[in-house]
Amino acid sequence: MESQLHLYNTLSGTKELFKPVNPPMVGLYVCGPTVYSNAHLGNCRTFLSFDLISRYLRYLDFKVRYVRNITDVGHITTEVDDGIDRIGEQAKLEKLEPMEIVQKYTVDFHEVMSKLNLLPPDIEPTATGHMIEQIEMIKSIVDKGFAYESNGNVYFDVSAYKEKHNYGELSGRNVDELMENTRALDGQSEKKFFADFALWKKASPEHIMRWPSPWSDGVPGWHLECSAMSTKYLGEEFDIHGGGMDLKFPHHESEVAQNTACSGHGPSKYWLHTNMLTFEGSKMSKSLGNSILPNELFTGDHPMLKRGFHPMVVRFFMLQAHYRSTLDFSHDALEAAEKGYQRLMAGVKVMESMPVSESNEVDVSALAASFKEAMDDDFNSPVLIGHLFDASRQINSVIEGRLKIDASSKSELFKLVQGYVFDVLGLMSIEDTGDSALVDGLMELVLDLRARARANKDWATSDAIRDQLNELKIVVKDGKDGVKWDLGA
Ligand code: AMP
Ligand code: ZN
């Protein structure tokens, strides 16, 4: 069957019918994290959006190769290449080796991704593991006349590139206009043009992150790493390149330029950009000091939060917005998402207990068409969720005897709803995440401590335990057959 999937391509600024370069294969490259700090919720949103995208492509039976890199060297702090390496700076601050920083935050990143039930990419290459490929690519760009060396550094020659190609074709930025708004910066004299960006940076003597190259002992530039690794694993032209909107310029624009310099065309047919998670209207980011860490949100340990939220509630909250819309973070929005998530999962749970009849009044094909139409329209998860609530209402009507379903429609509906909720949206029921066993165990421990306090006539402790549980909305009932606990309303 011909795919009806349409996606919004930043390159054309329109929604286009998705036609893979080499169907049924689909190559997907997403810029991964720079592992110099804990991933914040904004980062999570971008990776979660691409998790949804890769899951739906697989659901459509495409053979997806999803590559998401780890930037473990070469990410400089500003757009003007002042040479301050983010990982190196953090290593100094934490008094650790750069590779200790990389390891620490890569482990954290993987843990958070797994809590949010993101499927791991098929290949997760690192910049430090691909020095040879990067050096080869720089050589090729120099040979083609689009880069020059200066004091052991190599810069991409934007002016030479602009004579033949359009630097700005992806982001729509016009560097000549940008120049008017940019002050001349000190220390830029070795660049021919202010927009030239580093492909290779000479390392200062104290730097331990350094590799030999024809130009100097140094490190590759951040933009270059993605061009080299995407080409290696997905070829010179693959299907989808993605990342957050804030990477469009200069990162992605420079990737297009580097690839075009080498092969005559950009790396991918479609460019997908996800919108930002905001807090009170501003982009959530570490540098603005308004970022929340996923673990703070899960535990509630943050001044902006009254309590914690389960990772699946957070996932649902993010899926309720389209990936190209901004999503504003607030405690109230999460509370609303929690209710929605619980309502949806309750519908999924009771599906099994629907009584079957001889006749059928549930139009499963219409539901299936509505789910597919939503996702085929540029991965519109909020519309899909709306349709899943329609399905959930029909399930409840069947249970309450107001609607009939026959056995074959029941099993079709079951497969359909489970497929979209678990495989496409990637939601899990909280019981399946293993947390409920942990809560049961902890409650047993707490109630045991309370029983001991009572046995010792330590009423102050036993009352304090009960009151604090009540604050957590856990109601303890002493009955004839022992102590029971329940989540209060
Ligand atoms: P970084 O580690 O800073 O390179 O960022 C990793 C990814 O997170 C990039 O694709 C960014 O575009 C994305 N990102 C950063 N901040 C946000 C945000 N507030 N909302 C959504 N995505 C973000
Ligand atoms: Zn990248």
Side-chain angles (χ1 to χ4, degrees):
M1 194 183 69
E2 181 84 352
S3 156
Q4 282 306 306
L5 173 63
H6 285 72
L7 33 83
Y8 183 89
N9 188 356
T10 308
L11 264 179
S12 63
T14 56
K15 270 188 209 166
E16 294 177 27
L17 179 66
F18 179 55
K19 289 191 189 148
V21 180
N22 184 19
M25 311 299 178
V26 170
L28 168 64
Y29 185 92
V30 174
C31 297
T34 303
V35 281
Y36 75 109
S37 63
N38 296 105
H40 62 67
L41 277 180
N43 305 135
C44 293
R45 180 182 186 207
T46 283
F47 298 123
L48 201 147
S49 299
F50 285 104
D51 186 58
L52 172 77
I53 289 168
S54 66
R55 281 170 177 272
Y56 188 57
L57 290 168
R58 289 186 215 270
Y59 188 80
L60 294 178
D61 274 339
F62 286 115
K63 304 278 165 277
V64 180
R65 178 181 287 169
Y66 177 14
V67 182
R68 187 185 67 208
N69 68 301
I70 296 273
T71 299
D72 57 353
V73 75
H75 195 158
I76 39 212
T77 43
T78 69
E79 290 188 6
V80 290
D81 291 348
D82 55 10
I84 302 172
D85 165 40
R86 287 186 177 186
I87 292 164
E89 278 298 285
Q90 193 62 25
K92 271 191 231 155
L93 277 175
E94 296 194 33
K95 297 196 170 53
L96 293 172
E97 289 295 331
M99 268 310 190
E100 285 181 299
I101 293 293
V102 163
Q103 179 71 6
K104 176 175 167 184
Y105 293 115
T106 302
V107 167
D108 170 77
F109 175 68
H110 286 153
E111 274 175 15
V112 169
M113 294 296 104
S114 143
K115 280 189 191 158
L116 289 168
N117 199 28
L118 269 74
L119 297 173
D122 301 292
I123 305 180
E124 196 170 43
T126 60
T128 54
H130 295 77
M131 281 301 151
I132 294 171
E133 290 81 355
Q134 294 175 83
I135 291 170
E136 288 305 309
M137 192 163 206
I138 300 172
K139 280 191 201 157
S140 157
I141 300 173
V142 173
D143 288 349
K144 299 257 162 73
F146 293 116
Y148 58 91
E149 190 204 332
S150 174
N151 289 328
N153 300 314
V154 182
Y155 292 102
F156 190 90
D157 191 339
V158 172
S159 317
Y161 182 80
K162 282 203 303 143
E163 279 170 26
K164 296 209 172 106
H165 307 282
N166 175 7
Y167 186 74
E169 69 170 298
L170 178 69
S171 61
R173 298 272 186 114
N174 178 332
V175 278
D176 298 311
E177 279 172 16
L178 278 181
M179 180 146 95
E180 288 169 19
N181 302 323
T182 309
R183 281 177 299 123
L185 286 147
D186 289 339
Q188 279 203 15
S189 49
E190 58 182 43
K191 284 196 210 176
K192 290 192 201 163
F193 182 52
F194 86 103
D196 293 353
F197 54 90
L199 300 176
W200 187 263
K201 281 299 266 184
K202 183 173 160 183
S204 48
E206 74 279 6
H207 247 87
I208 89 161
M209 299 293 272
R210 55 167 67 228
W211 286 261
S213 80
W215 314 285
S216 62
D217 279 9
V219 294
W222 171 43
H223 313 319
L224 186 82
E225 138 197 7
C226 287
S227 286
M229 296 194 286
S230 66
T231 306
K232 174 160 173 119
Y233 296 110
L234 297 171
E236 269 182 10
E237 193 192 20
F238 55 92
D239 300 291
I240 304 174
H241 193 312
M245 293 235 293
D246 55 338
L247 298 189
K248 254 191 238 175
F249 188 89
H251 185 56
H252 290 161
E253 192 69 61
S254 304
E255 276 191 55
V256 171
Q258 292 163 157
N259 283 67
T260 307
C262 291
S263 68
H265 55 76
S268 71
K269 227 176 136 174
Y270 305 92
W271 281 87
L272 265 54
H273 287 102
T274 58
N275 214 324
M276 297 290 110
L277 181 71
T278 56
F279 177 68
E280 290 176 348
S282 331
K283 175 189 163 186
M284 188 175 280
S285 86
K286 218 186 144 209
S287 54
L288 291 176
N290 65 354
S291 65
I292 298 187
L293 297 181
N295 282 327
E296 293 170 338
L297 181 53
F298 304 153
T299 59
D301 183 15
H302 192 283
M304 261 146 43
L305 298 167
K306 292 177 224 147
R307 64 181 171 91
F309 292 92
H310 193 277
M312 283 303 109
V313 171
V314 178
R315 185 168 176 114
F316 185 80
F317 163 71
M318 292 187 176
L319 291 169
Q320 272 184 316
H322 186 254
Y323 79 88
R324 282 195 294 118
S325 312
T326 54
L327 170 62
D328 202 46
F329 178 89
S330 73
H331 189 93
D332 292 350
L334 273 155
E335 280 195 336
E338 188 172 57
K339 291 207 180 82
Y341 165 79
Q342 283 163 346
R343 203 151 53 86
L344 180 64
M345 296 320 271
V348 175
K349 202 169 173 183
V350 297
M351 246 191 323
E352 237 171 326
S353 51
M354 283 190 300
V356 292
S357 313
E358 293 295 312
S359 57
N360 182 56
E361 293 167 347
V362 177
D363 192 343
V364 182
S365 335
L367 283 171
S370 71
F371 295 175
K372 186 169 179 324
E373 198 185 322
M375 286 304 286
D376 276 350
D377 182 16
D378 197 24
F379 312 98
N380 203 326
S381 54
V383 172
L384 168 64
I385 290 172
H387 292 320
L388 282 164
F389 279 127
D390 289 342
S392 169
R393 273 189 285 277
Q394 296 193 37
I395 292 166
N396 284 324
S397 297
V398 173
I399 288 175
E400 288 159 14
R402 282 182 279 117
L403 205 61
K404 292 192 169 70
I405 196 163
D406 63 19
S408 77
S409 303
K410 178 176 169 175
S411 77
E412 267 176 56
L413 183 65
F414 206 74
K415 201 168 149 234
L416 177 73
V417 171
Q418 290 216 334
Y420 274 91
V421 171
F422 299 136
D423 300 340
V424 175
L425 294 179
L427 294 169
M428 291 194 288
S429 62
I430 290 185
E431 295 96 75
D432 291 345
T433 62
D435 285 12
S436 84
L438 179 65
V439 170
D440 287 346
L442 288 172
M443 279 307 296
E444 207 174 302
L445 174 75
V446 171
L447 293 177
D448 185 38
L449 291 173
R450 178 171 168 266
R452 282 187 209 193
R454 285 163 71 110
N456 294 334
K457 298 203 175 2
D458 178 359
W459 309 117
T461 304
S462 78
D463 287 347
I465 292 178
R466 178 155 67 183
D467 292 346
Q468 284 180 32
L469 288 172
N470 282 348
E471 265 175 39
L472 294 168
K473 296 199 181 130
I474 298 173
V475 184
V476 179
K477 292 174 204 136
D478 295 295
K480 279 189 218 119
D481 35 340
V483 186
K484 292 221 169 79
W485 66 274
D486 214 335
L487 284 176

